Amino acid sequence: MDKPPLTSAEIGMLWTQYMQNSMSVQILKYFQETVEDKDIQKVIEGALTIAEKAVNEIGHIYQQEEMVIPFGFSEADVDLKAPRIFTDPFMLAFVENLSTAGMLAWSISQGTSTRSDIRNLFTGFLTENSSLLNVAIDTALSKGLYIRPPYVSKPNKIEFIEGKKYLLSGLSPFKKRPLNNIEITHLFQNIKTNSVGEMISTAFAQTTNSQEVMAYMKRGKEISHKHKKIFAEFLSASDLSTPMTWDNGITDSTTRVFSDKLMMFLIDVLSASGQGNYATASTASMRYDLVINYQRLSVEIAFFAKDGLEIMIDNKWIEEPPQAPDRDELFHK
């Protein structure tokens, strides 16, 4: 039986996954060349296998559907002979972050697809990313590298929210209620993801030859550091410890590793992921001061991402996503 045409959602998700995984392949190949710890190397190889498989299988679908395969990223976007810029613990943390974001991306792809073969493809990669995340966490735990969320006392009774004071207490300059566990979770996770962003921006600023890209990466580093500090202050105010991160995750190498195109694209992906994380955290938080901060910081990321997009467009570094036909243009032909 003939398969129905791909929907706009399926074409869009296939394009997005192809672009992001072709980028991941180049990063993970460099990790594979520079990692020293054998156990962490196995995690990186597992991540690389998934990314390469995604590129190949999505490329095959493009051929079957007689669509133009995106240019994406290639070996021209990475220097595998460049000196080591990331430490092993940071590489492991990056793969953990990559697999977590991958699970969300594959889940959205699956949920917006209609054809069974496309859904099965996305479901398979969702499962593989879930397994990769477990391996990354187990490896980090075995080496004492995993950053655990804060510990709190266990609940011993059921309580109901009484009045709007529960929501408004965060706005009081005098007495704020303690953070609930859901709020703690989002603050903690956003500190971790901003730590990854800060380290990546530092490494990219350190190794690019472009003054424009260097300035943009420094700005990204400053934004990540500021956001991390704001979230940590919320935890400290509730007498909770802030997570230790990979302050030594970057070496002192200044040799160029990745193309400016790849570096800018990765920061764009991380910015979009950060906005999504903040939107989720804002919705889940029940203290208005948290909600206000997530929303205002999300706006800052949006402006940062917009400026990055303009840099990529000016330098012709970004491919145009598939889109609906321009009827006005067709009418005038």
Side-chain angles (χ1 to χ4, degrees):
M1 186 175 70
D2 291 340
K3 296 175 183 177
L6 292 170
T7 66
S8 57
E10 289 162 344
I11 293 173
M13 291 299 101
L14 287 167
W15 183 88
T16 300
Q17 293 291 0
Y18 186 92
M19 293 294 292
Q20 294 186 4
N21 279 278
S22 69
M23 173 193 67
S24 296
V25 166
Q26 310 314 319
I27 296 171
L28 292 167
K29 280 183 176 179
Y30 173 71
F31 284 1
Q32 189 179 42
E33 287 291 321
T34 55
V35 67
E36 296 175 350
D37 186 285
K38 297 301 181 183
D39 296 323
I40 296 176
Q41 182 180 19
K42 290 178 182 177
V43 179
I44 291 169
E45 289 173 350
L48 178 58
T49 298
I50 294 173
E52 289 180 325
K53 181 180 176 184
V55 170
N56 291 333
E57 294 195 10
I58 294 173
H60 182 63
I61 291 173
Y62 266 88
Q63 291 175 333
Q64 287 182 323
E65 298 293 329
E66 297 182 343
M67 298 189 299
V68 177
I69 298 175
F71 190 82
F73 297 89
S74 68
E75 61 275 3
D77 292 297
V78 60
D79 180 4
L80 297 180
K81 301 298 183 183
R84 172 181 166 97
I85 184 67
F86 299 107
T87 63
D88 288 359
F90 181 78
M91 290 187 218
L92 182 59
F94 182 89
V95 173
E96 180 197 333
N97 188 72
L98 182 71
S99 56
T100 302
M103 287 174 61
L104 177 60
W106 290 115
S107 177
I108 293 172
S109 299
Q110 177 194 7
T112 55
S113 298
T114 307
R115 262 175 42 177
S116 60
D117 60 326
I118 304 300
R119 281 187 282 113
N120 289 338
L121 175 78
F122 291 151
T123 301
F125 283 114
L126 175 60
T127 302
E128 290 188 39
N129 269 264
S130 177
S131 297
L132 174 63
L133 176 62
N134 284 329
V135 172
I137 291 175
D138 287 340
T139 302
L141 285 168
S142 70
K143 296 181 177 297
L145 298 173
Y146 187 69
I147 301 173
R148 297 176 182 267
Y151 288 100
V152 297
S153 58
K154 299 176 183 177
N156 54 21
K157 61 180 179 178
I158 295 173
E159 294 188 30
F160 289 87
I161 296 173
E162 297 179 358
K164 295 181 180 178
K165 182 180 178 182
Y166 190 85
L167 306 174
L168 298 172
S169 71
L171 302 179
S172 170
F174 305 109
K175 175 65 176 176
K176 301 179 188 293
R177 69 160 172 80
L179 297 167
N180 65 42
N181 286 347
I182 297 169
E183 293 161 346
I184 294 169
T185 299
H186 286 288
L187 287 167
F188 173 82
Q189 288 301 128
N190 281 311
I191 290 173
K192 283 183 67 173
T193 54
N194 272 289
S195 296
V196 170
E198 184 179 7
M199 290 295 102
I200 291 173
S201 296
T202 301
F204 288 173
Q206 195 170 301
T207 55
T208 182
N209 297 327
S210 165
Q211 291 299 315
E212 182 180 39
V213 174
M214 182 187 297
Y216 186 74
M217 295 302 169
K218 286 181 177 179
R219 181 179 164 198
K221 176 181 181 293
E222 291 166 1
I223 290 173
S224 293
H225 183 78
K226 182 181 80 172
H227 290 201
K228 187 172 68 170
K229 184 178 179 182
I230 290 170
F231 299 145
E233 287 171 353
F234 276 107
L235 292 178
S236 296
S238 285
D239 296 320
L240 296 167
S241 60
T242 56
M244 299 278 294
T245 53
W246 320 273
D247 291 334
N248 61 341
I250 309 299
T251 71
D252 60 0
S253 174
T254 58
T255 303
R256 185 183 186 85
V257 179
F258 302 108
S259 68
D260 290 325
K261 171 188 167 184
L262 185 147
M263 292 190 287
M264 291 296 298
F265 187 84
L266 175 56
I267 295 299
D268 181 66
V269 170
L270 294 178
S271 296
S273 177
Q275 285 184 282
N277 292 339
Y278 287 7
T280 302
S282 175
T283 303
S285 299
M286 300 180 74
R287 248 178 56 175
Y288 283 167
D289 57 337
L290 283 173
V291 174
I292 291 169
N293 272 280
Y294 281 127
Q295 291 179 352
R296 74 178 181 85
L297 296 178
S298 182
V299 170
E300 184 175 24
I301 296 177
F303 279 112
F304 174 70
K306 178 189 74 67
D307 292 344
L309 187 61
E310 290 178 355
I311 292 173
M312 287 191 283
I313 291 172
D314 290 343
N315 288 278
K316 295 181 172 58
W317 289 336
I318 187 165
E319 293 180 53
E320 187 176 292
Q323 62 186 32
D326 186 333
R327 298 297 176 186
D328 289 337
E329 184 178 319
L330 293 175
F331 291 157
H332 288 88
K333 279 191 174 181

